[in-house]
Amino acid sequence: MTKPTIVIVPGWRDSGPGHWQSLWAERMQGAVRVVQDDWLAPGRAAWVSMLETRVLECPGPVVIVAHSLGCIATAHLPEAAAARISGALLVAPADPERRAVLSDFAPVPHAKLPYRSIVVASGNDPYCPVRLAGAYARAWGSEFVRMQNAGHINLESGHGDWPLGLALLQSLTDEPANLLAGRSNIEPLATL
């Protein structure tokens, strides 16, 4: 089986230096990062199109690593792109109905995703209530991991390298020991 390509999908305003997504993108061999034309005023059509293009460019299966609004963009992917995905780690999904700048992404799709997925949310995320993240997980057919007092699971809430996230990602791939390039200071976990 072909090793999946890790596609990193940042949320609104991108994931800056030191954010776990940025660290993983630098350290994971073969990972690709979705870069949007407008990080500050996101439009659903443009964001989903850019994500779809990146997924379809990959030579084989894809594992998505999305944060915040990137989770919602992933849920909006059309069928052809979704069919290429073998798994998705969907971290701290956004609530586009609570922020006017994100409203173009509402309503959030509530159809079951056609691949294995894990939604990770925090009990004190200021951008999405944990009960709503849990409702997304149920609707999408995702496994649900609830973290306590983890904020938006970003650099500001103390999540730099984020080993738990890496372990969850490894559970979605076939080659956990080989996920990271040798230049990382993150030790891959062989099992969860």
Side-chain angles (χ1 to χ4, degrees), residues 18 20 150-163:
W20 57 269
H152 195 49
I153 313 174
N154 57 8
L155 187 60
E156 289 76 23
S157 61
H159 296 87
D161 285 338
W162 193 38

Side-chain angles (χ1 to χ4, degrees), residues 3-19:
K3 182 178 175 183
T5 300
I6 305 298
V7 175
I8 296 175
V9 188
W12 179 42
R13 295 193 250 179
D14 198 5
S15 297
H19 187 288

Side-chain angles (χ1 to χ4, degrees), residues 52-134:
E52 177 184 22
T53 297
R54 289 302 258 166
V55 167
L56 295 176
E57 287 173 346
C58 294
V62 166
V63 172
I64 297 286
V65 177
H67 183 254
S68 192
L69 191 59
C71 300
I72 308 307
T74 299
H76 278 291
L77 277 172
E79 189 176 323
R84 297 286 303 280
I85 298 171
S86 64
L89 180 61
L90 306 169
V91 180
D95 177 1
E97 294 180 10
R98 289 182 182 261
R99 287 198 172 270
V101 71
L102 309 181
S103 65
D104 192 34
F105 289 79
V108 174
H110 279 78
K112 186 175 185 323
L113 299 175
Y115 44 81
R116 182 174 170 224
S117 58
I118 301 170
V119 171
V120 182
S122 170
N124 67 339
D125 188 333
Y127 301 108
C128 182
V130 72
R131 69 184 177 282
L132 179 58

Side-chain angles (χ1 to χ4, degrees), residues 119-123 130 144-148:
V119 171
V120 182
S122 170
V130 72
F144 186 62
V145 176
R146 179 181 176 160
M147 296 178 65
Q148 295 299 320

Side-chain angles (χ1 to χ4, degrees), residues 161-186:
D161 285 338
W162 193 38
L164 172 61
L166 183 61
L168 292 169
L169 174 59
Q170 290 172 348
S171 79
L172 294 168
T173 66
D174 290 331
E175 299 182 22
N178 300 323
L179 187 59
L180 294 179
R183 60 188 189 275
S184 171
N185 65 355
I186 301 172

